[in-house]
Each structure stands twice: as structure tokens, then as C-alpha cells.
Amino acid sequence: MQKELNWKRFNIKITLEEDLHSGTGTGGGGGIDAVQMTDREGRPVIRNSHFKGLLRDAAQELVYFGQIKKEEKIRLFGGRINDENGDNTIHRGKFVSTSFNIKNQKYPILWTSTAREPFSRTPLDDTLRTVEYVPAGSGFEGELELREPDLSDVLEKCLKHIDQLGSNRNRGDGLLKIDWDVKEENEIENTVTDLSPPTSNDTQLRLILRNKTPLCLPKTGFPGNILPTERFLRGQVVMGAFASWALDCLPDAEHQSLNFLFDRKIKFGNGYPLPKFKNDLVKNPEIKMWDIVPFPLHIQTKKIAKIDKVKEKETEPAILINQIWWAKQQKKDLLFGKSDEHADRFMPCDCEAQYKRSKGDVYLFRCSETEPWFQYTPEIAVHMRNQVPNRDNPDGSLFSDEEIVENTDFLIDIDFHGNEDHAKKFLHLFKNVLNGKTWLRIGRGGRPVEVVRAVWIEGKKDSKTIVGYPGSITVTLESDLIARSPQNFGFYNSLDPRMLAELVGIIDEENQFSSLPKNTYSYCDHEEIRGFNAASGLPRTPVLAIRRGSAIHIQSNESNCEQVRSLCEKLCTTEHLGERTWEGFGRFRLNFDPLKTNREFFTKNPKWKCEYLVESNSEHCPDVSFIENREILLKDAKSIANQLPTPDEGGPNISQWRYAQEQIRLAKDVNSIQEIFNRLTEHEKKRAGKCWESKIKNGQEILAFLKKEFGNRKEKYQEDIETIRFLFDSVIRWHVVVIKEETDQEKTHVEQ
């Protein structure tokens, strides 16, 4: 039976009827012990992995009660099933969903609770816990795509079975209402409407892909507590995503026509992440001129000079901060090359300075050849997760995923090498993907990735063309390079002239290239390349590759001039190097010098500023003025707290201070803090067993002292609510620590 070329899209709306906490597993600032999961913009979100887990649990219950069949559950969510031949095969789930974003955001609320001592109403020490909640009445929306429409009834039964989300569901939290509507294939709008049929001049298809949920692309086969992720989409991953979509959604009769996708004549490049734009420049017609490359390893940054240590007690906070190396780093601009901060290590530079390579995956981007290069790092988040206990692992396990944040754009080129028939066939088979009507599944869990832009281009301008012989050559890897030695078939882990000669086909029978390393400088790194086949459930054999950004500089002289010239000529006519070039490996550039390009540009345009990119730090560097201000506030808070009495001296206890602290944290302006002190003064209802003024020995004097200090700081800090709130929150936090220390000392004394 052939599968029809159709699928269904579900628009799902979730309305909270009770407060919801879908947490991150971590605490936050301001004394919050468990914070709500948020997206990259700080808005509450319900992760698709959490929603999928609830759907799976609902399906399991429906199977138990006979409402659906076990085979239907496996077809929907994936798993092992016996096929017609009796073979136990792996089936991938037939639906993929986005995360659910909040639509009518309300101010989050905090719930504070504590445990009690057995057979008593007395709060148990050190059990006070504050949790952040999304208030009832909030609404979330998301989408779900079903690859087998005949499972619609099964999916709808599972949706009807879900009535709660998040934590503490057994106590009534997270109660919700789910509504949905179904869109057929012809009702789904196109996100790409300007893709024309290819012509004889169209040799490459340029795509911009956008992940609709955070994306984890595991880069190791032996993860620890944190599963690291790749920062970009490898060509092999994108090619596999297209093939997986075709097997899921195309009719069986079309599967034979997919052979051209695997005959290694179509080459998928790597999808490198784009920087964050102020506006939606993805729709810009100049996308054909965009260029993006990994940051070269030979361009390095000066290290900060070593600073003598100072004694904190003898130094003012502002002076102390200026002595800390990480606080001295100023905020980095997206542009590089405007100052002498960077240096090309292949060129003569400051001999006394120390240099360091760029950390992590840093990229360079420019919109056209007439603009400078921009340096940036894609945004990465860590998602803490807890594996559900099962028969093999009854206790479960806590682990974390590194993830590329949602709505990150990736630029990728697919090269058809002038084969117009292959280009037309690709457009015909994957028309719905290229139009954005359906999603690709990429990464761990098959996260949805959509095409937001697709254009035909004539191909990149040949960056390897060199006018005249320059006397030296620099080879910079644009992607990872997989190459083996012909002698022992071992993987190369660095660049050298003899290896390059082998890869371009130069037969070095007389070992002429053995003398070149004397005039060679290289900055290289290597890493393992791994992969996973979701259809078979088996990993790919790992290989060793020379890392993208690695570079080698070969300087010629009278003795090796001819060898360097012949190597240069061969490299100019070679498109890719090494193995698996159809998966994006082996791209390189000759004499690529972005630092020189930027310096020449800023010499001519010293006042030029970028108007379309969001400034961010290529390496996280704290703001010096912010740190100085916080250090001064903490010192001021300590001086105020030292004047407050402990409970043994007639002051409030910890619970009473915590109540005041919670009220201060919720204050929205300076006048609200003033009202808090007034309420505590006039309060007649008991709080934590005692009233502030009438039941505390020195309650009236303490409140008068706090009002006086508040009035002084209100004028000093110009009624800045953030500063004043942080100050008095720190006062209470410091004083609570003092009270706890005294209590512990008393307990120790009694026990002795």
C-alpha cells in the first residue's frame, strides 16, 4: 500500500486553569530556588520534550485501558515493533512538535512554602523554598505535525487525556485546557514564495534554516553529566534530514528516484549559524552576497598583562575590581580589526605580548565584499533533564543537554555542479520542504527545523584565484578535513606541506616537500567526527578530522620556490580536499586574510558603524561599572546589617525577616518599599507567630532604623528601584546568615 503525499498540522492552544511550574532544575537570583523555563527572550515556555513525554504517558495509559493499540502507540512515538516478516525493527515516531510559547504573558508569581516538624506546626529548619510560577489564565500556543494522518484519532485521544502539566501535578498545579484545530496540507501557508525553477546558470541552492525549538547535535559518543552539542549543522546531518523526510512523506513509488541524492554528485555544505539581526534581514535580496566562515585559528587575541595581587581589606571595592583580570576586559564589539587587539600570527607582531586563540566556535560574517567582517559566537543554553526511570535504570538519571537556542538561522549551500536535471528533480521532490510547508527533523529527538529562505545562486566567486605568484601561500580550512596517510591509512591531525601535496595529487618521489616545513607555520586542532542513523538506531564509525579554522602558512625561498609554486597552482584548481566532500568536508580558502581586509576598510571608513546586527560579546565579559556598583552596595548592606539585633537581642526571627524580604522583592517602585515599612509598623495581624511592633521587644526601634536608612539611600541612589531593592534584599540576606550562625553555635554548645 502506497503512502499518500500528505500530512496534517495541528495548531494547539493551552490555557492554564491553575498556576504552572515547568522548571529548569536550577535556582535563580533573588532567592528563587526553582525558576520557570523560559525561551531566549526570557518568556515562559513549555518545552516540546515535556509535552511529548506527557503524550507518551497518556498513550501508555490508553493502551492499558484498551482505547488504542500498542502498535499505534509505537507508530506514533517510535520504538521497536515486529514487521510482516517477523523482524524486530526500529520505527521512528511520526509526529514532531514545537515548544509552546506564551501569548498573553502575565507577571510571574512566587510561591514560598516550608516543611513542618513531625507532629508540629513549627517550620522545619532550612526547608523554606521559593518557586516561580506562571499564573493561571496564561495561554500558550504551539504546532504539531503528524506524518501519518491515519493516526489523527490516536493523537486526539492522547490530547484529550492530558489535563495537567509541570511539577506538583498530584497537588493540583498545572491544571489546563487544551484546544486544537487541524490544517490539511493545502491549508498550510508557504514561508518561502519566491523560489523559481533553476536555470543552466544556477549551480547552487542557498537555504536559510531556522530551528523552531532548541537544538542538540551531540558531538561525542561518551557523554558525561553534560551532553555537548555542535554549534552548526554538518552537511551530513542536513542530507540525512532531507532523506528522512522523503522516506516519511513521499509515496513509495518516489523512493527509487532518491538515488541521485546519494550518488555523491550533490554536495551539501555545512550550515553555519548567522548572527542575530536587529530586523528580519533574512528576507533581504542581498542574501546571495552573504559570506560566513569559521574564525581562523592563526588570528589570535592579546592576553591581558599579569596584575599583582592586592589585599581586599586594604583596598576599596572600586580599586579592587580594577585589579581583577576578568573585570578589566571591556565589552567586545562585533567588529574586529579596529584596534591592535587581534594579531595575525603568521605575520610579524609584538614579541613581548602573549596571545590566545578564540574560545569555542566563533564565526566571521559579512553581507557583501564591500563591508567588513563581523565576529560573533552563537548563543548556547544548557537544559537540565531527568531521565524517566525504567526497567534497566530504575532510579533514573540527571543529565544536561547543551542546546543551540531556538530561532537561530543557519546558512547552507547545496551544490549541484551545474547539473540542471538534478537541481530540477531536487526542487520537485522537496518542493514542500523548500516552501516551508513542512519541517525537517534534525538533532536529538528530531527537533523541527524549517526553511525560511531559498534562492538559487550562480556559485561562490572563486576565492582561490590568485593574481600573480605571491611568493607564499596560506591555506585556511573552511570546514573540517578528513584525510588519511597513504602509508599506514592513519588519520592526519594537522596540516603540513607534504600532506597537502598528496591531497592535490602531486607525486613527491624525490621528497622535495620534506624541506618545506623549515619555512612553514601552522595553527591546527583536531576533533572526532561522529554520527547517528535514526532509522537504523546505530552510530556511524567515528573518524578523526583536522578542525575547521586550522591554517598553514608556507613561505618560499630560493631553494623551494618551484615546489611552493606548483603546490599553489594545484590548490587553485582544487575545489575540495580529503574524504566525504559531498557531506561538506574539505572546504578551504587560499590566502584568506579577514584581519587585513578589516583594517584597510576602517582606515578608509573610521566612523563606520553597523546598523543591522545586535551587539553581543564574542566572549562573556562582565561590565566593570556594574561589578563596582554591586561591590559597593554589598559593603553598604553589610554595614547596615551589622547594626540589626538578633532574636536573642530582641530582634525579629528568620521567618519575619523572610516575609519582609519577599515583600521587598515584589516592590515595583521606591514608594512601594516605603509602604512596606509602614505596613509592618501598623500591622496588627500576626506574622510568623509574632507581630513586628507589639510582640518584638525592639520592633519599633528596628523599623524606625530601617526607615531612616531607607530615606538616606533613597536620596543617595536617586530613587533607583533596582539598586535600593538589591541593597535591602542583601541586608536581610546577610543578617539571616548571622542569625543562623548564632543558632548553630548555640546547638553545638548545648550538645557539648
Side-chain angles (χ1 to χ4, degrees):
M1 179 179 178
Q2 292 186 356
K3 293 182 290 186
E4 297 180 357
L5 178 60
N6 59 6
W7 53 88
K8 286 186 178 181
R9 180 77 58 84
F10 287 72
N11 290 334
I12 300 177
K13 297 180 180 180
I14 297 176
T15 304
L16 298 183
E17 297 182 349
E18 291 290 347
D19 299 339
L20 166 71
H21 175 72
S22 177
T24 63
T26 59
I32 301 177
D33 298 290
V35 297
Q36 168 66 30
M37 177 69 70
T38 58
D39 59 14
R40 68 185 301 180
E41 305 296 338
R43 297 169 299 192
V45 66
I46 299 173
R47 292 293 298 267
N48 61 333
S49 56
H50 177 50
F51 189 74
K52 180 180 178 181
L54 293 175
L55 280 175
R56 188 189 294 270
D57 288 344
Q60 186 64 38
E61 291 184 6
L62 292 174
V63 170
Y64 179 80
F65 290 110
Q67 299 296 314
I68 63 175
K69 298 179 181 179
K70 182 178 180 180
E71 291 75 13
E72 292 175 331
K73 170 183 171 290
I74 295 177
R75 286 170 57 198
L76 185 61
F77 296 99
R80 292 186 177 273
I81 189 173
N82 293 325
D83 57 16
E84 297 176 354
N85 299 324
D87 297 329
N88 189 263
T89 58
I90 294 177
H91 284 254
R92 199 177 190 187
K94 296 302 180 182
F95 88 95
V96 57
S97 70
T98 67
S99 294
F100 295 82
N101 300 311
I102 195 165
K103 294 303 179 183
N104 56 339
Q105 183 173 0
K106 298 183 178 181
Y107 194 77
I109 60 176
L110 301 177
W111 280 99
T112 302
S113 60
T114 182
R116 294 176 179 175
E117 293 182 357
F119 309 105
S120 171
R121 295 179 62 86
T122 304
L124 195 62
D125 289 343
D126 298 325
T127 61
L128 190 67
R129 181 175 174 82
T130 301
V131 181
E132 185 180 25
Y133 280 81
V134 181
S138 301
F140 295 83
E141 291 186 14
E143 292 181 306
L144 187 151
E145 185 175 281
L146 184 62
R147 297 285 174 86
E148 287 194 14
D150 58 333
L151 293 174
S152 297
D153 293 340
V154 177
L155 178 60
E156 291 184 3
K157 288 180 180 179
C158 295
L159 290 172
K160 292 177 181 179
H161 201 69
I162 296 178
D163 58 357
Q164 285 180 297
L165 284 172
S167 62
N168 286 335
R169 296 196 292 272
N170 59 335
R171 298 191 176 186
D173 292 349
L175 192 65
L176 57 85
K177 175 185 176 184
I178 298 181
D179 298 304
W180 65 87
D181 59 86
V182 182
K183 289 186 177 181
E184 302 293 340
E185 176 196 351
N186 56 0
E187 297 176 335
I188 303 174
E189 297 181 358
N190 294 348
T191 59
V192 179
T193 58
D194 57 350
L195 182 60
S196 58
T199 64
S200 57
N201 295 327
D202 296 327
T203 60
Q204 290 186 2
L205 177 62
R206 171 159 291 184
L207 303 178
I208 293 184
L209 306 180
R210 178 176 296 168
N211 59 323
K212 298 181 72 67
T213 62
L215 197 60
C216 179
L217 304 163
K219 62 185 299 185
T220 178
F222 304 96
N225 291 333
I226 295 181
L227 180 61
T229 181
E230 300 276 13
R231 266 65 168 179
F232 65 99
L233 302 179
R234 293 192 179 275
Q236 67 183 47
V237 172
V238 179
M239 183 175 70
F242 274 98
S244 176
W245 180 90
L247 295 176
D248 279 346
C249 300
L250 291 181
D252 293 340
E254 297 279 4
H255 290 177
Q256 295 297 328
S257 60
L258 291 174
N259 293 333
F260 81 102
L261 196 63
F262 307 103
D263 62 4
R264 303 181 180 181
K265 294 181 180 179
I266 300 177
K267 297 187 177 181
F268 288 78
N270 290 334
Y272 292 126
L274 290 168
K276 189 175 181 181
F277 298 109
K278 293 181 180 178
N279 301 312
D280 192 8
L281 286 188
V282 172
K283 302 298 182 182
N284 193 314
E286 299 299 326
I287 181 179
K288 297 181 179 181
M289 304 298 296
W290 288 6
D291 197 3
I292 178 173
V293 293
F295 198 87
L297 297 183
H298 65 93
I299 298 179
Q300 300 181 2
T301 309
K302 283 186 179 181
K303 288 185 177 180
I304 297 176
K306 186 177 180 181
I307 302 172
D308 295 333
K309 295 183 179 180
V310 295
K311 295 182 179 180
E312 181 179 357
K313 295 181 179 179
E314 301 175 359
T315 310
E316 292 296 325
I319 300 176
L320 177 64
I321 290 299
N322 286 327
Q323 305 298 323
I324 303 175
W325 67 269
W326 49 264
K328 284 183 70 68
Q329 295 186 21
Q330 299 296 327
K331 185 176 181 180
K332 292 180 180 289
D333 191 44
L334 280 167
L335 302 175
F336 82 106
K338 296 182 70 173
S339 63
D340 60 351
E341 180 184 7
H342 292 84
D344 186 346
R345 299 307 308 278
F346 290 151
M347 300 294 133
C349 52
D350 188 357
C351 298
E352 297 182 358
Q354 293 182 335
Y355 296 89
K356 62 178 180 179
R357 298 191 318 189
S358 59
K359 295 182 180 179
D361 281 63
V362 183
Y363 297 91
L364 295 177
F365 168 81
R366 66 176 179 180
C367 282
S368 66
E369 295 181 354
T370 60
E371 293 193 7
W373 292 93
F374 299 93
Q375 173 188 355
Y376 65 97
T377 304
E379 189 176 349
I380 300 295
V382 177
H383 180 205
M384 184 177 292
R385 305 181 64 183
N386 189 12
Q387 184 179 9
V388 178
N390 52 41
R391 182 173 57 185
D392 299 328
N393 186 15
D395 297 328
S397 60
L398 188 67
F399 65 99
S400 298
D401 286 342
E402 269 190 353
E403 296 176 331
I404 304 173
V405 296
E406 69 278 2
N407 295 326
T408 299
D409 294 331
F410 301 87
L411 183 69
I412 182 171
D413 292 335
I414 303 175
D415 194 349
F416 296 92
H417 287 274
N419 192 322
E420 187 177 352
D421 292 336
H422 281 179
K424 290 182 178 180
K425 185 181 293 185
F426 187 88
L427 179 61
H428 169 71
L429 292 176
F430 300 102
K431 177 181 63 175
N432 291 290
V433 177
L434 300 177
N435 289 339
K437 296 187 68 172
T438 182
W439 305 323
L440 297 173
R441 301 181 67 179
I442 292 179
R444 195 165 190 263
R447 311 290 172 84
V449 176
E450 69 175 349
V451 178
V452 295
R453 188 73 192 277
V455 295
W456 294 101
I457 59 177
E458 295 183 1
K460 292 183 180 179
K461 187 177 180 180
D462 191 2
S463 60
K464 304 180 182 65
T465 301
I466 299 178
V467 180
Y469 177 58
S472 64
I473 55 175
T474 300
V475 179
T476 305
L477 294 186
E478 189 178 344
S479 64
D480 296 334
L481 170 62
I482 302 175
R484 306 175 195 247
S485 169
Q487 285 76 27
N488 55 18
F489 299 103
F491 292 103
Y492 285 110
N493 58 13
S494 62
L495 298 172
D496 65 71
R498 189 166 186 173
M499 181 203 73
L500 292 176
E502 292 174 356
L503 294 179
V504 297
I506 297 178
I507 301 176
D508 188 21
E509 296 179 350
E510 301 179 0
N511 293 327
Q512 295 179 350
F513 288 88
S514 60
S515 61
L516 292 185
K518 298 179 181 179
N519 300 286
T520 300
Y521 307 92
S522 65
Y523 291 89
C524 301
D525 200 355
H526 62 274
E527 64 179 32
E528 284 188 349
I529 307 298
R530 296 179 176 270
F532 182 81
N533 190 321
S536 65
L538 299 175
R540 296 186 66 171
T541 303
V543 298
L544 190 67
I546 304 174
R547 188 180 181 275
R548 59 208 168 276
S550 298
I552 183 173
H553 179 76
I554 305 174
Q555 182 70 43
S556 66
N557 53 32
E558 295 181 357
S559 61
N560 60 23
C561 180
E562 291 302 322
Q563 291 91 330
V564 176
R565 180 190 293 273
S566 63
L567 179 60
C568 180
E569 292 174 352
K570 281 287 187 178
L571 287 171
C572 287
T573 58
T574 302
E575 187 176 3
H576 309 301
L577 298 174
E579 303 176 7
R580 291 166 58 176
T581 57
W582 60 91
E583 294 180 351
F585 293 98
R587 269 68 167 172
F588 68 98
R589 299 195 181 196
L590 277 182
N591 290 4
F592 177 59
D593 195 348
L595 187 59
K596 179 181 178 182
T597 301
N598 274 25
R599 285 176 175 169
E600 291 177 352
F601 178 87
F602 291 122
T603 300
K604 299 177 182 179
N605 308 277
K607 297 183 179 180
W608 188 87
K609 291 184 179 180
C610 178
E611 301 294 339
Y612 50 84
L613 290 182
V614 177
E615 292 188 3
S616 61
N617 298 338
S618 59
E619 296 177 7
H620 178 69
C621 303
D623 187 0
V624 176
S625 60
F626 174 81
I627 298 174
E628 290 179 353
N629 184 44
R630 285 298 168 100
E631 290 290 334
I632 294 172
L633 289 174
L634 290 173
K635 186 177 181 180
D636 194 10
K638 183 177 179 181
S639 65
I640 297 175
N642 288 337
Q643 303 179 56
L644 296 174
T646 62
D648 293 340
E649 298 170 346
N653 58 26
I654 292 180
S655 298
Q656 291 162 331
W657 281 117
R658 290 294 193 192
Y659 171 74
Q661 183 183 31
E662 182 178 349
Q663 298 300 309
I664 291 173
R665 288 174 178 171
L666 296 175
K668 297 182 179 180
D669 51 48
V670 176
N671 294 330
S672 299
I673 297 181
Q674 181 69 54
E675 293 175 1
I676 291 171
F677 292 131
N678 293 335
R679 287 201 304 269
L680 291 174
T681 303
E682 301 169 358
H683 213 290
E684 295 180 358
K685 186 178 179 181
K686 288 186 177 182
R687 287 289 178 185
K690 293 182 180 179
C691 175
W692 264 76
E693 184 175 3
S694 60
K695 298 296 183 181
I696 298 177
K697 181 178 179 181
N698 298 321
Q700 190 171 4
E701 290 79 1
I702 295 171
L703 288 171
F705 170 74
L706 290 175
K707 286 182 181 180
K708 177 183 176 182
E709 296 297 329
F710 170 75
N712 295 337
R713 292 343 186 255
K714 178 180 177 181
E715 181 178 353
K716 179 179 179 180
Y717 298 118
Q718 301 177 354
E719 299 190 5
D720 182 7
I721 179 59
E722 293 293 338
T723 301
I724 296 175
R725 185 164 50 196
F726 175 80
L727 173 66
F728 282 91
D729 180 74
S730 301
V731 169
I732 297 176
R733 291 172 64 186
W734 183 267
H735 188 57
V736 167
V737 171
V738 173
I739 296 175
K740 287 185 175 182
E741 289 179 351
E742 288 191 359
T743 304
D744 292 340
Q745 291 176 0
E746 291 178 0
K747 289 182 179 180
T748 304
H749 180 70
V750 171
E751 291 175 357
Q752 292 177 350

